[in-house]
Coordinates of all heavy atoms in Angstrom, one line a residue:
M144 N -14.0 -8.0 -40.0 CA -14.7 -9.3 -39.9 C -15.0 -9.5 -38.4 O -14.2 -9.2 -37.5 CB -13.8 -10.4 -40.4 CG -14.5 -11.8 -40.3 SD -13.6 -13.1 -41.1 CE -12.4 -13.6 -39.9
L145 N -16.1 -10.1 -38.1 CA -16.5 -10.5 -36.8 C -16.3 -12.0 -36.6 O -16.6 -12.8 -37.5 CB -18.0 -10.1 -36.5 CG -18.3 -8.6 -36.6 CD1 -19.8 -8.5 -36.3 CD2 -17.5 -7.8 -35.6
I146 N -15.9 -12.4 -35.4 CA -15.8 -13.8 -35.0 C -16.7 -14.0 -33.9 O -16.6 -13.3 -32.8 CB -14.3 -14.2 -34.7 CG1 -13.4 -13.9 -35.9 CG2 -14.3 -15.6 -34.2 CD1 -11.9 -14.2 -35.6
V147 N -17.6 -15.0 -34.0 CA -18.5 -15.3 -32.9 C -17.9 -16.5 -32.2 O -17.6 -17.5 -32.8 CB -19.9 -15.7 -33.5 CG1 -20.8 -16.1 -32.3 CG2 -20.5 -14.5 -34.2
G148 N -17.8 -16.4 -30.9 CA -17.2 -17.5 -30.1 C -17.9 -18.8 -30.1 O -19.1 -18.8 -30.5
Q149 N -17.3 -19.8 -29.8 CA -17.8 -21.2 -29.8 C -19.1 -21.3 -29.1 O -20.0 -22.1 -29.5 CB -16.8 -22.2 -29.3 CG -17.1 -23.6 -29.6 CD -15.9 -24.5 -29.2 OE1 -15.3 -24.2 -28.2 NE2 -15.6 -25.5 -30.0
E150 N -19.3 -20.7 -27.9 CA -20.5 -20.7 -27.1 C -21.5 -19.7 -27.5 O -22.5 -19.5 -26.8 CB -20.1 -20.5 -25.6 CG -19.1 -21.6 -25.1 CD -19.7 -23.0 -25.1 OE1 -20.8 -23.1 -24.8 OE2 -18.9 -23.9 -25.4
N151 N -21.3 -19.0 -28.6 CA -22.2 -17.9 -29.1 C -22.4 -16.8 -28.0 O -23.5 -16.2 -28.0 CB -23.5 -18.5 -29.5 CG -23.3 -19.3 -30.8 OD1 -22.6 -18.9 -31.7 ND2 -24.0 -20.4 -30.8
D152 N -21.4 -16.6 -27.1 CA -21.6 -15.6 -26.1 C -20.5 -14.5 -26.2 O -20.4 -13.7 -25.3 CB -21.5 -16.3 -24.7 CG -20.2 -17.0 -24.4 OD1 -19.4 -17.1 -25.4 OD2 -20.0 -17.4 -23.3
L153 N -19.8 -14.5 -27.3 CA -18.7 -13.6 -27.5 C -18.6 -13.2 -29.0 O -18.7 -14.1 -29.8 CB -17.4 -14.3 -27.0 CG -16.1 -13.6 -27.3 CD1 -15.9 -12.4 -26.3 CD2 -15.0 -14.6 -27.2
I154 N -18.5 -11.9 -29.2 CA -18.3 -11.4 -30.6 C -17.0 -10.6 -30.6 O -16.9 -9.7 -29.7 CB -19.5 -10.6 -31.1 CG1 -20.7 -11.5 -31.2 CG2 -19.1 -10.0 -32.5 CD1 -22.0 -10.7 -31.5
V155 N -16.1 -11.0 -31.5 CA -14.8 -10.3 -31.5 C -14.6 -9.6 -32.9 O -14.9 -10.2 -33.9 CB -13.7 -11.3 -31.3 CG1 -12.3 -10.6 -31.4 CG2 -13.8 -12.1 -30.0
N156 N -14.2 -8.4 -32.8 CA -13.8 -7.7 -34.1 C -12.4 -8.1 -34.5 O -11.4 -7.8 -33.8 CB -13.9 -6.2 -33.9 CG -13.6 -5.4 -35.1 OD1 -13.0 -5.9 -36.1 ND2 -13.9 -4.1 -35.1
F157 N -12.3 -8.8 -35.6 CA -11.0 -9.4 -36.0 C -9.9 -8.3 -36.1 O -8.7 -8.5 -35.9 CB -11.2 -10.1 -37.3 CG -10.0 -10.9 -37.8 CD1 -9.6 -12.1 -37.2 CD2 -9.2 -10.4 -38.8 CE1 -8.5 -12.8 -37.6 CE2 -8.0 -11.1 -39.2 CZ -7.7 -12.3 -38.6
E158 N -10.3 -7.1 -36.5 CA -9.4 -6.0 -36.7 C -8.8 -5.5 -35.4 O -7.8 -4.8 -35.4 CB -10.1 -4.8 -37.4 CG -10.8 -5.1 -38.7 CD -9.7 -5.5 -39.8 OE1 -8.6 -5.0 -39.8 OE2 -10.1 -6.4 -40.6
R159 N -9.4 -5.8 -34.3 CA -8.9 -5.4 -33.0 C -8.0 -6.4 -32.3 O -7.6 -6.2 -31.2 CB -10.1 -5.0 -32.1 CG -11.1 -4.0 -32.7 CD -10.6 -2.7 -32.8 NE -10.8 -2.1 -31.5 CZ -10.4 -0.9 -31.1 NH1 -9.7 -0.2 -31.9 NH2 -10.7 -0.4 -29.9
I160 N -7.8 -7.6 -32.9 CA -7.0 -8.6 -32.3 C -5.6 -8.4 -32.6 O -5.2 -8.1 -33.7 CB -7.5 -10.0 -32.8 CG1 -8.9 -10.3 -32.5 CG2 -6.6 -11.1 -32.3 CD1 -9.5 -11.6 -33.1
N161 N -4.7 -8.5 -31.6 CA -3.3 -8.5 -31.8 C -2.8 -9.7 -32.4 O -2.0 -9.7 -33.4 CB -2.6 -8.2 -30.4 CG -3.0 -6.9 -29.8 OD1 -3.2 -5.9 -30.5 ND2 -3.0 -6.9 -28.5
F162 N -3.2 -10.9 -31.9 CA -2.8 -12.2 -32.5 C -3.7 -13.3 -31.9 O -4.4 -13.1 -30.9 CB -1.3 -12.5 -32.4 CG -0.8 -12.6 -31.0 CD1 -0.8 -13.8 -30.3 CD2 -0.3 -11.5 -30.3 CE1 -0.3 -13.9 -29.0 CE2 0.3 -11.6 -29.1 CZ 0.2 -12.8 -28.4
I163 N -3.7 -14.4 -32.7 CA -4.5 -15.6 -32.3 C -3.5 -16.8 -32.2 O -2.6 -16.9 -33.0 CB -5.5 -15.9 -33.4 CG1 -6.5 -14.8 -33.6 CG2 -6.3 -17.2 -33.0 CD1 -7.5 -15.0 -34.7
K164 N -3.7 -17.6 -31.2 CA -2.8 -18.8 -31.1 C -3.5 -20.0 -30.5 O -4.6 -19.8 -29.9 CB -1.6 -18.4 -30.2 CG -1.9 -18.3 -28.7 CD -0.6 -18.1 -28.0 CE -0.8 -18.1 -26.5 NZ 0.4 -18.1 -25.7
I165 N -2.9 -21.1 -30.8 CA -3.4 -22.4 -30.2 C -2.6 -22.7 -29.0 O -1.4 -22.7 -29.0 CB -3.3 -23.5 -31.2 CG1 -4.1 -23.2 -32.5 CG2 -3.7 -24.8 -30.6 CD1 -3.8 -24.1 -33.7
E166 N -3.3 -23.0 -27.9 CA -2.6 -23.2 -26.6 C -3.2 -24.5 -26.0 O -4.4 -24.7 -25.8 CB -2.9 -22.1 -25.7 CG -2.1 -22.1 -24.4 CD -0.6 -21.9 -24.5 OE1 -0.2 -21.2 -25.5 OE2 0.1 -22.4 -23.7
P167 N -2.3 -25.5 -25.7 CA -2.8 -26.7 -25.0 C -3.4 -26.4 -23.7 O -2.8 -25.6 -22.9 CB -1.5 -27.6 -24.9 CG -0.4 -26.9 -25.7 CD -0.8 -25.5 -25.9
S168 N -4.5 -27.1 -23.3 CA -5.1 -26.9 -22.0 C -5.8 -28.2 -21.6 O -6.8 -28.6 -22.2 CB -6.2 -25.8 -22.2 OG -7.0 -25.7 -21.0
E169 N -5.2 -28.9 -20.6 CA -5.7 -30.2 -20.2 C -5.8 -31.1 -21.4 O -4.8 -31.4 -22.0 CB -7.0 -30.0 -19.4 CG -6.8 -29.2 -18.1 CD -8.1 -29.1 -17.4 OE1 -9.0 -29.9 -17.6 OE2 -8.2 -28.2 -16.5
N170 N -7.0 -31.6 -21.7 CA -7.1 -32.5 -22.8 C -7.6 -31.9 -24.1 O -8.1 -32.5 -25.0 CB -8.1 -33.7 -22.4 CG -7.5 -34.5 -21.3 OD1 -6.3 -34.7 -21.2 ND2 -8.4 -35.1 -20.5
K171 N -7.6 -30.6 -24.1 CA -8.1 -29.8 -25.2 C -7.0 -28.9 -25.8 O -5.9 -28.7 -25.2 CB -9.3 -28.9 -24.8 CG -10.4 -29.7 -24.2 CD -11.4 -30.1 -25.3 CE -12.6 -30.7 -24.8 NZ -13.6 -31.1 -25.8
F172 N -7.4 -28.2 -26.9 CA -6.5 -27.2 -27.5 C -7.4 -26.0 -27.7 O -8.3 -26.0 -28.4 CB -5.9 -27.7 -28.8 CG -4.9 -28.8 -28.7 CD1 -5.4 -30.1 -28.6 CD2 -3.6 -28.5 -28.5 CE1 -4.4 -31.2 -28.4 CE2 -2.7 -29.6 -28.3 CZ -3.1 -30.9 -28.3
D173 N -7.0 -24.9 -26.9 CA -7.8 -23.7 -27.0 C -7.3 -22.8 -28.1 O -6.1 -22.7 -28.3 CB -7.6 -22.9 -25.6 CG -8.2 -23.7 -24.5 OD1 -9.1 -24.5 -24.7 OD2 -7.8 -23.4 -23.3
I174 N -8.2 -22.1 -28.7 CA -7.8 -21.0 -29.6 C -8.0 -19.7 -28.8 O -9.1 -19.4 -28.3 CB -8.7 -21.0 -30.9 CG1 -8.4 -22.2 -31.7 CG2 -8.4 -19.7 -31.7 CD1 -9.1 -22.3 -33.0
E175 N -6.9 -19.1 -28.5 CA -6.9 -17.9 -27.7 C -6.6 -16.6 -28.5 O -5.9 -16.7 -29.5 CB -5.8 -18.0 -26.6 CG -6.0 -19.1 -25.7 CD -4.9 -19.1 -24.6 OE1 -3.9 -18.4 -24.7 OE2 -5.1 -20.0 -23.7
I176 N -7.2 -15.5 -28.1 CA -6.9 -14.2 -28.7 C -6.2 -13.3 -27.8 O -6.5 -13.4 -26.6 CB -8.2 -13.6 -29.3 CG1 -9.2 -13.3 -28.2 CG2 -8.7 -14.4 -30.4 CD1 -10.4 -12.5 -28.6
N177 N -5.4 -12.5 -28.3 CA -4.7 -11.4 -27.5 C -5.3 -10.1 -28.1 O -5.2 -9.9 -29.3 CB -3.2 -11.5 -27.6 CG -2.5 -10.4 -26.9 OD1 -2.4 -9.3 -27.4 ND2 -2.1 -10.7 -25.7
Y178 N -5.8 -9.2 -27.3 CA -6.3 -8.0 -27.8 C -6.1 -6.8 -26.8 O -5.6 -7.1 -25.7 CB -7.9 -8.1 -28.0 CG -8.6 -8.5 -26.8 CD1 -9.3 -7.5 -26.0 CD2 -8.7 -9.8 -26.3 CE1 -10.0 -7.8 -24.9 CE2 -9.4 -10.1 -25.2 CZ -10.0 -9.1 -24.5 OH -10.7 -9.5 -23.3
A179 N -6.4 -5.6 -27.2 CA -6.3 -4.4 -26.4 C -4.8 -4.4 -25.8 O -3.9 -4.6 -26.5 CB -7.3 -4.4 -25.3
D180 N -4.7 -4.1 -24.5 CA -3.4 -3.9 -23.9 C -3.0 -5.3 -23.2 O -3.0 -5.4 -22.0 CB -3.5 -2.8 -22.8 CG -3.6 -1.5 -23.4 OD1 -3.1 -1.3 -24.6 OD2 -4.2 -0.6 -22.8
D181 N -2.8 -6.3 -24.0 CA -2.4 -7.6 -23.6 C -3.4 -8.4 -22.8 O -3.1 -9.1 -21.9 CB -1.1 -7.5 -22.8 CG -0.3 -8.8 -22.9 OD1 -0.4 -9.5 -24.0 OD2 0.5 -9.1 -22.0
E182 N -4.7 -8.2 -23.2 CA -5.8 -9.0 -22.6 C -5.9 -10.3 -23.4 O -5.6 -10.4 -24.6 CB -7.1 -8.2 -22.7 CG -7.1 -6.9 -22.0 CD -7.1 -7.1 -20.5 OE1 -7.7 -8.1 -20.0 OE2 -6.5 -6.3 -19.8
W183 N -6.3 -11.4 -22.7 CA -6.4 -12.7 -23.3 C -7.8 -13.3 -23.1 O -8.5 -13.0 -22.1 CB -5.4 -13.7 -22.7 CG -4.0 -13.5 -23.1 CD1 -3.1 -12.7 -22.4 CD2 -3.4 -14.0 -24.2 NE1 -1.9 -12.7 -23.1 CE2 -2.1 -13.5 -24.2 CE3 -3.8 -14.8 -25.3 CZ2 -1.1 -13.8 -25.2 CZ3 -2.9 -15.1 -26.3 CH2 -1.6 -14.6 -26.2
D184 N -8.3 -14.0 -24.1 CA -9.6 -14.7 -24.0 C -9.5 -16.0 -24.8 O -8.9 -16.0 -25.9 CB -10.7 -13.8 -24.4 CG -12.0 -14.1 -23.7 OD1 -12.1 -15.2 -23.1 OD2 -12.9 -13.3 -23.8
V185 N -10.2 -17.0 -24.4 CA -10.4 -18.2 -25.2 C -11.7 -18.1 -25.9 O -12.7 -17.8 -25.4 CB -10.4 -19.5 -24.2 CG1 -10.7 -20.7 -25.0 CG2 -9.1 -19.6 -23.5
I186 N -11.6 -18.3 -27.3 CA -12.8 -18.2 -28.1 C -13.3 -19.5 -28.5 O -14.5 -19.6 -29.0 CB -12.6 -17.3 -29.3 CG1 -11.5 -17.7 -30.2 CG2 -12.4 -15.8 -28.8 CD1 -11.3 -16.9 -31.5
A187 N -12.5 -20.6 -28.3 CA -13.0 -22.0 -28.7 C -12.0 -23.0 -28.2 O -10.8 -22.7 -27.9 CB -13.1 -22.1 -30.2
S188 N -12.4 -24.2 -28.0 CA -11.6 -25.4 -27.6 C -11.9 -26.5 -28.5 O -13.1 -26.8 -28.8 CB -11.9 -25.7 -26.1 OG -11.5 -24.7 -25.3
Y189 N -10.9 -27.3 -28.9 CA -11.0 -28.4 -29.7 C -10.3 -29.6 -29.2 O -9.3 -29.5 -28.4 CB -10.6 -28.1 -31.2 CG -11.5 -27.0 -31.7 CD1 -11.1 -25.7 -31.7 CD2 -12.8 -27.3 -32.2 CE1 -12.0 -24.7 -32.2 CE2 -13.6 -26.3 -32.7 CZ -13.2 -25.0 -32.7 OH -14.1 -24.0 -33.1
D190 N -10.7 -30.8 -29.6 CA -10.1 -32.1 -29.1 C -8.7 -32.3 -29.6 O -7.9 -33.0 -29.0 CB -11.0 -33.3 -29.5 CG -12.3 -33.2 -28.7 OD1 -12.3 -32.7 -27.6 OD2 -13.3 -33.8 -29.2
S191 N -8.3 -31.8 -30.8 CA -7.0 -32.0 -31.3 C -6.3 -30.7 -31.8 O -7.0 -29.8 -32.2 CB -7.1 -33.0 -32.5 OG -7.6 -32.5 -33.6
F192 N -5.0 -30.8 -31.9 CA -4.2 -29.6 -32.4 C -4.5 -29.5 -33.9 O -4.7 -28.3 -34.3 CB -2.7 -29.9 -32.2 CG -1.9 -28.8 -32.6 CD1 -1.7 -27.6 -31.9 CD2 -1.1 -28.9 -33.8 CE1 -0.9 -26.6 -32.3 CE2 -0.3 -27.9 -34.3 CZ -0.2 -26.7 -33.5
D193 N -4.6 -30.6 -34.6 CA -4.9 -30.5 -36.0 C -6.3 -29.8 -36.3 O -6.4 -29.0 -37.3 CB -4.9 -31.9 -36.7 CG -3.5 -32.4 -36.8 OD1 -2.5 -31.6 -36.8 OD2 -3.3 -33.6 -36.9
R194 N -7.3 -30.1 -35.5 CA -8.6 -29.5 -35.7 C -8.5 -28.0 -35.4 O -9.0 -27.2 -36.2 CB -9.6 -30.1 -34.8 CG -11.0 -29.5 -34.9 CD -11.6 -29.6 -36.4 NE -12.9 -29.0 -36.4 CZ -13.3 -28.4 -37.5 NH1 -12.6 -28.3 -38.6 NH2 -14.6 -27.9 -37.5
A195 N -7.8 -27.6 -34.4 CA -7.6 -26.2 -34.1 C -6.9 -25.5 -35.3 O -7.2 -24.3 -35.6 CB -6.8 -26.0 -32.8
K196 N -5.9 -26.1 -35.9 CA -5.2 -25.5 -37.0 C -6.1 -25.4 -38.2 O -6.1 -24.4 -38.9 CB -4.0 -26.4 -37.4 CG -2.8 -26.2 -36.5 CD -1.6 -27.1 -36.9 CE -1.3 -27.3 -38.3 NZ -0.1 -28.1 -38.6
E197 N -7.0 -26.4 -38.4 CA -8.0 -26.3 -39.5 C -8.9 -25.0 -39.3 O -9.2 -24.3 -40.3 CB -8.9 -27.5 -39.5 CG -8.2 -28.7 -40.1 CD -9.1 -30.0 -39.9 OE1 -10.2 -29.9 -39.5 OE2 -8.6 -31.1 -40.2
I198 N -9.3 -24.8 -38.1 CA -10.2 -23.7 -37.8 C -9.4 -22.4 -38.1 O -10.0 -21.4 -38.7 CB -10.6 -23.7 -36.3 CG1 -11.4 -25.0 -36.0 CG2 -11.4 -22.4 -35.9 CD1 -12.6 -25.2 -36.8
L199 N -8.1 -22.3 -37.7 CA -7.4 -21.0 -38.0 C -7.3 -20.8 -39.5 O -7.4 -19.7 -40.0 CB -6.0 -21.1 -37.4 CG -5.9 -21.0 -35.9 CD1 -4.4 -21.0 -35.5 CD2 -6.6 -19.8 -35.4
A200 N -7.2 -21.9 -40.3 CA -7.1 -21.8 -41.8 C -8.5 -21.3 -42.3 O -8.6 -20.5 -43.2 CB -6.8 -23.2 -42.4
E201 N -9.6 -21.8 -41.7 CA -10.9 -21.4 -42.1 C -11.1 -19.9 -41.8 O -11.7 -19.2 -42.6 CB -12.0 -22.2 -41.4 CG -12.1 -23.6 -41.8 CD -13.2 -24.4 -41.0 OE1 -13.9 -23.8 -40.3 OE2 -13.2 -25.6 -41.2
I202 N -10.6 -19.4 -40.7 CA -10.7 -18.0 -40.4 C -10.0 -17.2 -41.4 O -10.5 -16.1 -41.9 CB -10.2 -17.7 -39.0 CG1 -11.1 -18.3 -37.9 CG2 -10.0 -16.2 -38.7 CD1 -10.5 -18.3 -36.5
I203 N -8.8 -17.6 -41.8 CA -8.0 -16.9 -42.8 C -8.7 -16.9 -44.1 O -8.8 -15.8 -44.8 CB -6.6 -17.6 -43.0 CG1 -5.8 -17.3 -41.8 CG2 -5.9 -17.0 -44.3 CD1 -4.5 -18.2 -41.7
N204 N -9.3 -18.0 -44.5 CA -10.1 -18.0 -45.8 C -11.3 -17.1 -45.8 O -11.6 -16.5 -46.8 CB -10.5 -19.5 -46.2 CG -9.3 -20.3 -46.7 OD1 -8.3 -19.7 -47.2 ND2 -9.3 -21.6 -46.5
A205 N -12.0 -17.1 -44.6 CA -13.1 -16.2 -44.5 C -12.7 -14.7 -44.6 O -13.3 -13.9 -45.3 CB -13.8 -16.4 -43.2
Y206 N -11.6 -14.4 -44.0 CA -11.0 -13.0 -44.0 C -10.6 -12.6 -45.4 O -10.8 -11.4 -45.8 CB -9.9 -12.9 -43.1 CG -9.3 -11.5 -42.9 CD1 -10.0 -10.6 -42.2 CD2 -8.1 -11.2 -43.5 CE1 -9.5 -9.3 -42.0 CE2 -7.6 -9.9 -43.4 CZ -8.3 -9.0 -42.7 OH -7.8 -7.7 -42.5
K207 N -10.1 -13.5 -46.2 CA -9.7 -13.2 -47.6 C -10.8 -13.0 -48.6 O -10.6 -12.6 -49.7 CB -8.7 -14.3 -48.1 CG -7.4 -14.4 -47.3 CD -6.4 -15.3 -48.0 CE -6.9 -16.6 -48.5 NZ -5.9 -17.5 -49.0
T208 N -12.0 -13.4 -48.2 CA -13.1 -13.4 -49.2 C -13.4 -12.0 -49.6 O -13.6 -11.1 -48.8 CB -14.4 -14.0 -48.5 OG1 -14.1 -15.3 -48.1 CG2 -15.6 -14.0 -49.5
V209 N -13.5 -11.8 -50.9 CA -13.9 -10.5 -51.5 C -14.9 -10.7 -52.6 O -15.1 -11.8 -53.1 CB -12.7 -9.8 -52.1 CG1 -11.6 -9.4 -51.1 CG2 -12.0 -10.6 -53.2
A210 N -15.6 -9.7 -53.0 CA -16.6 -9.7 -54.1 C -15.9 -9.2 -55.3 O -15.4 -8.1 -55.3 CB -17.8 -9.0 -53.7
R211 N -16.0 -9.9 -56.4 CA -15.4 -9.4 -57.7 C -16.6 -9.0 -58.5 O -17.5 -9.7 -58.7 CB -14.7 -10.6 -58.4 CG -14.1 -10.2 -59.7 CD -13.4 -11.3 -60.4 NE -13.1 -11.0 -61.7 CZ -12.1 -11.4 -62.4 NH1 -11.2 -12.2 -61.8 NH2 -11.8 -11.0 -63.6
V212 N -16.5 -7.7 -59.0 CA -17.5 -7.1 -59.8 C -17.0 -6.8 -61.2 O -16.0 -6.0 -61.2 CB -18.1 -5.9 -59.1 CG1 -19.2 -5.3 -60.0 CG2 -18.7 -6.3 -57.7
E213 N -17.6 -7.3 -62.2 CA -17.2 -6.9 -63.6 C -18.0 -5.7 -64.0 O -19.2 -5.8 -64.0 CB -17.5 -8.1 -64.5 CG -16.7 -9.4 -64.2 CD -15.2 -9.2 -64.5 OE1 -14.8 -8.4 -65.3 OE2 -14.5 -10.1 -64.0
G214 N -17.3 -4.6 -64.3 CA -18.0 -3.4 -64.7 C -18.4 -3.4 -66.2 O -17.9 -4.3 -66.9
K215 N -19.2 -2.5 -66.5 CA -19.6 -2.4 -67.9 C -18.5 -1.8 -68.7 O -18.4 -1.9 -69.9 CB -20.9 -1.6 -68.1 CG -22.1 -2.3 -67.5 CD -23.3 -1.4 -67.7 CE -24.5 -2.1 -67.1 NZ -25.7 -1.4 -67.2
E216 N -17.6 -1.0 -68.0 CA -16.5 -0.4 -68.7 C -15.4 -1.4 -68.9 O -15.3 -2.3 -68.2 CB -16.0 0.8 -67.8 CG -17.1 1.7 -67.4 CD -16.8 2.3 -66.0 OE1 -15.8 2.0 -65.4 OE2 -17.7 3.0 -65.5
K217 N -14.6 -1.0 -69.9 CA -13.4 -1.9 -70.1 C -12.4 -1.6 -69.0 O -12.3 -0.5 -68.5 CB -12.8 -1.6 -71.5 CG -13.7 -2.0 -72.6 CD -13.0 -1.8 -73.9 CE -13.9 -2.2 -75.1 NZ -13.3 -2.1 -76.4
G218 N -11.6 -2.6 -68.7 CA -10.5 -2.4 -67.7 C -10.6 -3.5 -66.7 O -11.2 -4.6 -66.9
Q219 N -10.0 -3.3 -65.6 CA -9.8 -4.2 -64.5 C -11.1 -4.4 -63.8 O -11.9 -3.4 -63.6 CB -8.7 -3.8 -63.6 CG -7.4 -3.6 -64.2 CD -6.8 -5.0 -64.6 OE1 -7.1 -6.0 -64.0 NE2 -5.9 -5.0 -65.6
P220 N -11.4 -5.6 -63.3 CA -12.6 -5.8 -62.5 C -12.3 -5.1 -61.1 O -11.2 -4.9 -60.7 CB -12.7 -7.3 -62.3 CG -11.3 -7.8 -62.6 CD -10.7 -6.8 -63.6
K221 N -13.4 -4.8 -60.4 CA -13.3 -4.2 -59.1 C -13.5 -5.3 -58.0 O -14.3 -6.2 -58.2 CB -14.3 -3.1 -58.9 CG -14.0 -1.9 -59.9 CD -15.0 -0.8 -59.6 CE -14.6 0.3 -60.6 NZ -15.5 1.4 -60.5
F222 N -12.7 -5.1 -56.9 CA -12.9 -6.1 -55.8 C -13.3 -5.3 -54.6 O -12.8 -4.2 -54.3 CB -11.5 -6.8 -55.5 CG -11.1 -7.7 -56.7 CD1 -10.3 -7.2 -57.7 CD2 -11.5 -9.0 -56.7 CE1 -9.9 -8.0 -58.7 CE2 -11.1 -9.8 -57.7 CZ -10.3 -9.3 -58.7
Y223 N -14.2 -5.9 -53.9 CA -14.8 -5.2 -52.7 C -14.7 -6.2 -51.5 O -15.1 -7.3 -51.6 CB -16.2 -4.8 -52.9 CG -16.4 -3.8 -54.0 CD1 -16.7 -4.2 -55.3 CD2 -16.3 -2.4 -53.8 CE1 -16.9 -3.3 -56.3 CE2 -16.4 -1.5 -54.8 CZ -16.7 -1.9 -56.1 OH -16.9 -1.0 -57.1
N224 N -14.4 -5.6 -50.3 CA -14.5 -6.4 -49.1 C -15.9 -6.5 -48.8 O -16.6 -5.5 -48.8 CB -13.7 -5.8 -48.0 CG -12.2 -6.0 -48.1 OD1 -11.8 -7.1 -48.5 ND2 -11.4 -5.1 -47.7
V225 N -16.4 -7.6 -48.4 CA -17.8 -7.8 -48.0 C -17.9 -8.0 -46.5 O -16.9 -8.6 -46.0 CB -18.5 -9.0 -48.8 CG1 -18.6 -8.7 -50.3 CG2 -17.7 -10.3 -48.6
P226 N -18.9 -7.6 -45.9 CA -19.1 -7.8 -44.5 C -19.0 -9.3 -44.2 O -19.6 -10.1 -44.9 CB -20.4 -7.3 -44.1 CG -20.8 -6.3 -45.2 CD -20.1 -6.9 -46.4
K227 N -18.2 -9.7 -43.2 CA -18.0 -11.1 -42.9 C -18.2 -11.4 -41.4 O -17.9 -10.6 -40.6 CB -16.6 -11.6 -43.3 CG -16.2 -11.3 -44.7 CD -14.7 -11.5 -44.9 CE -14.2 -10.7 -46.0 NZ -13.5 -9.6 -45.8
V228 N -18.8 -12.6 -41.2 CA -18.9 -13.1 -39.8 C -18.5 -14.6 -39.9 O -18.9 -15.4 -40.7 CB -20.4 -13.0 -39.3 CG1 -20.5 -13.6 -37.9 CG2 -20.9 -11.6 -39.3
Y229 N -17.6 -14.9 -39.0 CA -17.1 -16.3 -38.9 C -17.6 -16.9 -37.5 O -17.3 -16.3 -36.5 CB -15.6 -16.4 -38.9 CG -15.1 -17.9 -38.9 CD1 -15.1 -18.7 -40.0 CD2 -14.8 -18.4 -37.6 CE1 -14.7 -20.0 -39.9 CE2 -14.4 -19.8 -37.6 CZ -14.4 -20.5 -38.7 OH -14.0 -21.8 -38.6
F230 N -18.3 -18.0 -37.6 CA -18.8 -18.6 -36.4 C -17.9 -19.8 -36.0 O -17.7 -20.7 -36.8 CB -20.3 -19.2 -36.6 CG -21.3 -18.1 -36.7 CD1 -21.5 -17.5 -38.0 CD2 -22.0 -17.6 -35.6 CE1 -22.5 -16.5 -38.1 CE2 -22.9 -16.6 -35.8 CZ -23.2 -16.1 -37.0
M231 N -17.3 -19.8 -34.8 CA -16.4 -20.8 -34.4 C -17.2 -22.1 -34.3 O -18.3 -22.2 -33.6 CB -15.8 -20.5 -33.0 CG -15.0 -19.3 -33.0 SD -13.6 -19.3 -34.1 CE -12.5 -20.4 -33.3
P232 N -16.8 -23.2 -35.0 CA -17.5 -24.5 -35.0 C -17.5 -25.1 -33.6 O -16.6 -24.9 -32.8 CB -16.8 -25.4 -35.9 CG -15.9 -24.4 -36.8 CD -15.7 -23.2 -35.9
E233 N -18.6 -25.8 -33.3 CA -18.7 -26.5 -32.0 C -17.7 -27.5 -31.8 O -17.1 -27.7 -30.8 CB -20.1 -27.1 -31.9 CG -20.8 -26.9 -30.6 CD -22.2 -27.5 -30.6 OE1 -23.1 -26.8 -31.1 OE2 -22.3 -28.6 -30.1
K234 N -17.4 -28.3 -32.9 CA -16.4 -29.4 -32.8 C -15.4 -29.3 -33.9 O -15.6 -28.7 -34.9 CB -17.1 -30.8 -32.9 CG -18.0 -31.0 -31.7 CD -18.6 -32.4 -31.8 CE -19.5 -32.6 -30.6 NZ -19.9 -34.0 -30.5

């Protein structure tokens, strides 16, 4: 999955992120990523901690999205990962 930064100037491959966290910063709450050999970057900032937590939940839900395909054959349906892009909301 790809994550597009809040300013649309950054694209992150979710598979290459070590972890994501919320970090207080002045009057905002930043969503920061840790990647590569302990590199850090801010991908978005929000006015409240609760809003930042909502965004993390949205990222998780986007990541979990799969396509369910019912085959003509009897048996279990097949599930496929679909290409995903999550755009960090402005607010």
